[in-house]
Amino acid sequence: MPDTFFGWIAFLWEEYAPLFIRGTGNTLLLAVSGTAFGFVIGLLVAILRTVPLSAKDKPVRKCVVRTFHILIGIYIEVFRGTPMIVQAMVLYYGLLQSFMPAMGAAVFIISLNTGAYMAEILRGGIIAVDKGQKEAAQAIGMTHWQSMCSVVLPQAVRNALPSIGNEFIVNIKDSSVLNVISVSELFFQGKSASGTYLRYYETFFIVALIYLVLTFLSARLIGWLERKLDGPDSFVIHGSQSDSRAVIRGNKEG
Amino acid sequence: MAAQEILKIEHLSKRFGSNQVLRDVDFSVTQGEVVCIIGSSGSGKSTLLRCINLLEEPTGGNICYHGKDIDTLPVTDYRARVGMVFQQFNLFDNMTVLENCTVGQKKVLGRDRREAEQKAIAYLQRVGMDKYIHAKPAQLSGGQKQRVAIARALAMDPEVLLFDEPTSALDPEMVGEVLQVMRDLANVGKITMVIVTHEMEFAREMADRVVFMDEGVILEEGTPDQIFETPKEERTRIFLKRILRN
Ligand SMILES: Nc1ncnc2c1ncn2[C@@H]1O[C@H](COP(=O)(O)OP(=O)(O)OP(=O)(O)O)[C@@H](O)[C@H]1O
Ligand SMILES: [Mg+2]
């Protein structure tokens, strides 16, 4: 048996590398799918929530829209107002257990949880988009759906990108609570690996390092993505006489 | 043949809470005419335009488009036929100049990409912005933005264009380029236009009809000569005196 801290680290890694790697893979899978599905949920909620109602609308339509508003409100309150660890217990043992494997249930739970936060994040992003953008879209005859999808949401998402990226990082860490429904994500694997030799300190030191690497790399990736989405500062004058593809520096506002 | 009446607005009223902004406004627009709406700040000019385009929901009265009550038409179809140019330009910030001018054609009118781009470029040429098709709005000056916004509206082939103070957010040296485009549209393009403006010179020169609004009503209307030379109402005289002195 090793007798130093680093000795134990090396030993445990040697012994359990496949376990840690599988756990890391599952943690990433949960974080990526949870953030992606949560994002889609957030977008749908954002579109539904902003459906305009006019005094001339038929009562049926008004009723449907209001019902959606209430349901959306309840969804957001419940999922933001309870810990995900509790949501996992209630949903898994109360409902999902009987018709899906733990991993499927975990994706389902983390997506619903993230969706509630995304909905609020995107609401903020939409508020930050100038009202005139939506009006201009309406003025050329776009429907609510069209104007949201092609004009408002792309800008809202850009505004909200730092917070959306943050959700991903939160999900890398918080997916660990899903160990309570026995999903073999990183924390769960850490528990398994520490059991045999009862080396909690060293095992979870490794786990902590892996989490840190994941979140550090994700933060860099998100930063790169943000810059990429902003596009170049300059544009090419089209068909200028010399066709020299002269580049004019744009004077960016704001 | 008498010119066609495109829009006929009767007894239009609009209330924001307890604030009655428009009362019993009657107004019509005939094919090919240029109507300038003038009046002091807060008199309801913008609200009238926004009601015509249904960006605001009127609280009373009715609007007929070619004799049909617009309540019987799909709102989006109607809006596509009535273009709008805003004071703050409102170009789609997430799109290039070209995309700004094609997105509506593709999504609303169902034109294919080639046709939409040809049309967009033709109108961008018309407003002198065809060189900038790859630029984003943030990279353009105010006057350039407004010219693109006009091309965007024109690309939908609307029957009437509504302008809400198209030059008042511009630096003085850029006002001319936008007014020049509008002159060209009226003279050469024979585009039907309703223009809310504080540019009295322009109204006098270009308008077939000038409408003076005051406290939510149309106080008087007539030819530029009638309104500017021999206004009937005292309030019109006061308004003109005040604005022409500045
Ligand atoms: N969304 C709104 N909610 C409440 N009141 C409004 C709203 N929009 C306009 N008003 C009020 O309606 C009145 C008329 O406004 P409007 O913008 O139509 O005036 P205007 O003639 O265009 O003025 P300006 O020359 O300053 O643009 C104002 O008193 C304004 O405060
Ligand atoms: Mg106004």
Side-chain angles (χ1 to χ4, degrees):
Chain A
M1 289 288 107
D3 50 11
T4 62
F5 174 72
F6 289 107
W8 270 108
I9 298 263
F11 176 79
L12 287 167
W13 178 257
E14 197 115 321
E15 193 91 332
Y16 293 116
L19 212 68
F20 288 129
I21 290 170
R22 214 156 58 85
T24 306
N26 282 338
T27 288
L28 276 178
L29 180 68
L30 285 172
V32 169
S33 58
T35 311
F37 290 133
F39 180 62
V40 173
I41 294 173
L43 289 176
L44 290 176
V45 167
I47 293 174
L48 280 175
R49 254 186 183 177
T50 47
V51 167
L53 266 187
S54 105
K56 287 192 190 117
D57 281 331
K58 294 201 182 71
V60 182
R61 186 185 143 89
K62 281 186 198 166
C63 213
V64 170
V65 171
R66 296 226 171 90
T67 310
F68 266 115
H69 279 198
I70 292 169
L71 290 177
I72 287 169
I74 293 174
Y75 162 59
I76 291 173
E77 282 301 322
V78 167
F79 276 85
R80 293 197 336 149
T82 56
M84 186 159 71
I85 194 167
V86 175
Q87 293 161 16
M89 296 301 273
V90 171
L91 281 173
Y92 185 64
Y93 293 108
L95 175 72
L96 301 174
Q97 190 185 25
S98 44
F99 50 93
M100 56 172 87
M103 191 63 190
V107 169
F108 187 81
I109 291 159
I110 196 171
S111 301
L112 280 181
N113 181 275
T114 309
Y117 285 94
M118 285 286 188
E120 286 297 283
I121 288 171
L122 286 172
R123 193 166 70 92
I126 289 171
I127 290 171
V129 176
D130 188 87
K131 231 167 46 71
Q133 296 284 311
K134 169 95 191 195
E135 290 189 346
Q138 287 180 311
I140 56 175
M142 285 196 200
T143 60
H144 173 66
W145 174 265
Q146 288 169 335
S147 60
M148 288 303 281
C149 291
S150 19
V151 177
V152 178
L153 285 175
Q155 296 181 51
V157 168
R158 175 61 196 88
N159 292 337
L161 206 55
S163 310
I164 292 168
N166 192 48
E167 276 303 297
F168 178 63
I169 289 171
V170 165
N171 276 341
I172 290 177
K173 297 182 290 177
D174 285 7
S175 56
S176 59
V177 305
L178 294 169
N179 80 84
V180 296
I181 57 169
S182 303
V183 183
S184 43
E185 44 69 50
L186 188 51
F187 180 85
F188 185 86
Q189 302 293 68
K191 274 206 306 192
S192 310
S194 59
T196 321
Y197 302 97
L198 299 175
R199 305 305 298 195
Y200 295 104
Y201 174 40
E202 291 85 355
T203 311
F204 280 96
F205 190 83
I206 296 176
V207 169
L209 274 182
I210 298 176
Y211 275 119
L212 198 59
V213 169
L214 292 183
T215 52
F216 181 84
L217 291 181
S218 305
R220 294 300 158 291
L221 185 74
I222 291 159
W224 174 81
L225 205 66
E226 271 178 51
R227 285 191 298 280
K228 180 109 181 159
L229 279 183
D230 277 345
D233 283 352
S234 54
F235 60 92
V236 176
I237 289 275
H238 183 71
S240 56
Q241 284 167 325
S242 58
D243 205 18
S244 61
R245 310 237 98 196
V247 173
I248 288 201
R249 296 295 299 178
N251 50 325
K252 276 209 162 177
E253 286 182 349
Chain B
M1 193 184 90
Q4 277 242 354
E5 194 171 58
I6 299 173
L7 284 172
K8 186 173 182 64
I9 289 147
E10 287 172 321
H11 310 299
L12 187 77
S13 68
K14 174 67 188 173
R15 197 158 27 77
F16 290 108
S18 61
N19 184 8
Q20 187 79 37
V21 175
L22 294 177
R23 10 179 157 231
D24 202 16
V25 170
D26 291 335
F27 181 66
S28 64
V29 183
T30 314
Q31 179 115 50
E33 76 174 335
V34 175
V35 183
C36 285
I37 302 178
I38 61 173
S40 50
S41 187
S43 56
K45 306 180 297 296
S46 297
T47 307
L48 175 59
L49 280 201
R50 293 168 59 80
C51 281
I52 294 177
N53 205 345
L54 297 181
L55 288 176
E56 299 289 355
E57 204 173 326
T59 38
N62 51 300
I63 303 175
C64 290
Y65 171 74
H66 287 294
K68 271 210 229 50
D69 193 315
I70 57 170
D71 283 346
T72 65
L73 298 169
V75 181
T76 50
D77 290 0
Y78 167 71
R79 283 198 181 123
R81 312 294 301 134
V82 178
M84 180 106 173
V85 174
F86 300 86
Q87 183 175 0
Q88 300 295 340
F89 331 122
N90 296 347
L91 289 181
F92 303 133
D93 289 330
N94 57 324
M95 300 181 195
T96 63
V97 164
L98 186 63
E99 287 162 350
N100 261 281
C101 299
T102 54
V103 64
Q105 297 186 66
K106 288 191 281 195
K107 304 237 163 192
V108 179
L109 304 179
R111 290 179 184 157
D112 64 32
R113 194 174 66 93
R114 256 176 63 89
E115 189 190 356
E117 289 187 353
Q118 273 172 1
K119 198 130 214 162
I121 289 170
Y123 281 116
L124 284 166
Q125 240 157 16
R126 183 132 188 203
V127 300
M129 286 300 293
D130 51 313
K131 285 205 178 98
Y132 296 86
I133 55 177
H134 299 307
K136 285 283 185 77
Q139 296 163 325
L140 303 177
S141 73
Q144 290 175 326
K145 282 186 209 176
Q146 194 59 298
R147 287 187 281 148
V148 172
I150 292 173
R152 173 178 70 182
L154 287 170
M156 301 296 290
D157 293 321
E159 274 188 81
V160 50
L161 266 188
L162 311 175
F163 291 80
D164 189 5
E165 302 196 30
T167 59
S168 32
L170 298 177
D171 291 337
E173 68 266 31
M174 291 168 190
V175 170
E177 65 188 65
V178 172
L179 291 183
Q180 196 48 47
V181 164
M182 292 168 66
R183 277 192 193 92
D184 170 70
L185 293 182
N187 294 335
V188 184
K190 305 288 176 219
I191 308 274
T192 313
M193 303 196 273
V194 179
I195 306 164
V196 171
T197 185
H198 287 295
E199 298 286 334
M200 293 302 143
E201 286 297 313
F202 178 82
R204 191 172 214 161
E205 172 197 342
M206 294 309 302
D208 297 307
R209 185 152 56 93
V210 176
V211 171
F212 176 69
M213 283 190 73
D214 188 58
E215 295 190 342
V217 299
I218 292 183
L219 203 57
E220 72 175 295
E221 60 181 303
T223 63
D225 277 349
Q226 282 168 353
I227 300 293
F228 289 106
E229 305 301 338
T230 56
K232 289 199 282 284
E233 301 287 336
E234 180 61 21
R235 305 216 26 135
T236 317
R237 270 196 289 275
I238 296 170
F239 169 77
L240 287 171
K241 202 187 265 170
R242 186 156 46 78
I243 199 156
L244 290 177
R245 207 174 33 223
N246 295 336

